[in-house]
């Protein structure tokens, strides 16, 4: 299986994340990519290629231009405004205020375009996000042209990014950009399966009223899990998209047997949709040792996950999403890909 990777994904070197009321070193660190790369090379899974630059057009096919312009200029504007630290949100268009007006001040615009407070914007964030979507585009292009599976080692991740909102460590929605690229290449039906512990609220929002892209997600119950305000089972899509969003929220501590039985249901739904491409938002934060999640996968269970996904017999692109147990992220990611390849 080919892997696509760009060194530029390490350009985001944020120093702070707001976690438990404290500014901590971000869980979404550049080391995640280095460790996955090291394990990929050791496992000899296949060639690792760099993407070419696809530019802004594929981003603007999914994201609002004002949002993209904001992301590109935010760090410079934040510094010019004299703020001491990294660009972090401290006010939102909360429920009791109007949310459809965009303020002029960078502090106001941060709140307008952010869905969560933990994620800072710093030097290099925009460039890393641009490299991450290039990785996704290169991976899906390979699968579209060859029919063979691919792995996009995306970083930052993307599934929390909505059409005009960042957060949950995400800026551009790599999976949505890849799915749209497949649609623009003539595929009529694309399925996105999100196995990350956290609901892919951004991916859901982007395709919520569309019937050409099926979004299916298995995740921690949002009643008690980030992102809290999306991912409930009664969110099924709207308009033409009704029935093309399928959420499987599960309680924290769900055992792997139950999780895999839920995957069987999700796969049956995908099979009924009869897609021409499967994009897997691969978050390995369903690992029992993940510091900010609450499912119970052991490393060997990720082999089973890959084996199950192969049963769909779809052209498949895996795109890296979450996974914060950094010591184990390499083996967990490679185990999915090895399982998919049918390697014991
Ligand atoms: N105290 C934990 C809060 C979690 N905050 C963001 C989680 C983003 C996961 C991305 S896959
Ligand atoms: Zn996650």
């Amino acid at each position: 299986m080919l892997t696509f990777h760009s060194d530029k994904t390490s350009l985001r070197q944020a120093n702070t994340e707001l976690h438990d009321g404290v500014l901590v070193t971000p869980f979404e660190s550049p080391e995640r990519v280095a460790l996955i790369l090291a394990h990929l090379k050791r496992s000899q899974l296949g060639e690792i290629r760099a993407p070419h630059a696809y530019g802004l057009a594929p981003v603007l096919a999914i994201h609002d231009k004002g949002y993209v312009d904001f992301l590109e200029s935010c760090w410079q504007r934040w510094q010019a405004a004299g703020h001491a630290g990294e660009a972090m949100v401290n006010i939102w268009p909360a429920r009791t205020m109007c949310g459809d007006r965009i303020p002029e001040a960078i502090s106001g615009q941060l709140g307008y375009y952010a869905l969560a407070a933990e994620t800072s914007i710093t030097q290099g964030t925009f460039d890393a996000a641009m490299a991450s979507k290039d990785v996704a585009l290169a991976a899906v292009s390979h699968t579209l042209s060859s029919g063979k599976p691919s792995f996009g080692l995306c970083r930052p991740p993307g599934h929390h990014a909505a059409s005009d909102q960042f957060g949950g460590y995400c800026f551009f929605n790599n999976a949505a950009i890849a799915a749209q690229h497949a649609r623009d290449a003539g595929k009529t039906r694309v399925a996105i399966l999100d196995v990350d512990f956290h609901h892919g609220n951004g991916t859901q929002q982007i395709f919520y009223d569309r019937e050409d892209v099926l979004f299916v997600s298995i995740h921690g119950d949002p009643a008690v899990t980030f992102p809290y305000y999306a991912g409930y089972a009664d969110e099924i899509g709207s308009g033409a998209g009704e029935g093309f969003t399928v959420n499987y929220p599960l309680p924290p501590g769900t055992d792997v047997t139950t999780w895999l039985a839920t995957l069987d249901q999700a796969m049956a739904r995908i099979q009924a949709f009869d897609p021409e491409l499967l994009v897997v938002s691969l978050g390995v934060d369903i690992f029992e040792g993940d510091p900010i999640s609450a499912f119970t996968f052991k490393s060997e269970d990720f082999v089973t996950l890959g084996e199950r996904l192969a049963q769909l017999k779809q052209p498949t692109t895996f795109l890296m999403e979450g996974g914060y147990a950094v010591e184990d992220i390499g083996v967990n990611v490679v185990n999915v890909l090895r399982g998919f390849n049918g390697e014991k």
Side-chain angles (χ1 to χ4, degrees), residues 70 73-83 103-106 109:
F70 159 79
S73 63
C74 175
W75 174 243
Q76 182 272 325
R77 292 173 60 202
W78 174 263
Q79 286 188 299
H83 299 294
E104 287 176 20
I106 184 64
Q109 292 195 0

Side-chain angles (χ1 to χ4, degrees), residues 200-214:
N201 61 284
T203 315
Q204 172 173 301
Q205 182 263 345
I206 288 164
F207 296 116
Y208 204 64
D209 58 2
R210 289 175 51 173
E211 76 284 19
D212 56 329
V213 177
L214 171 72

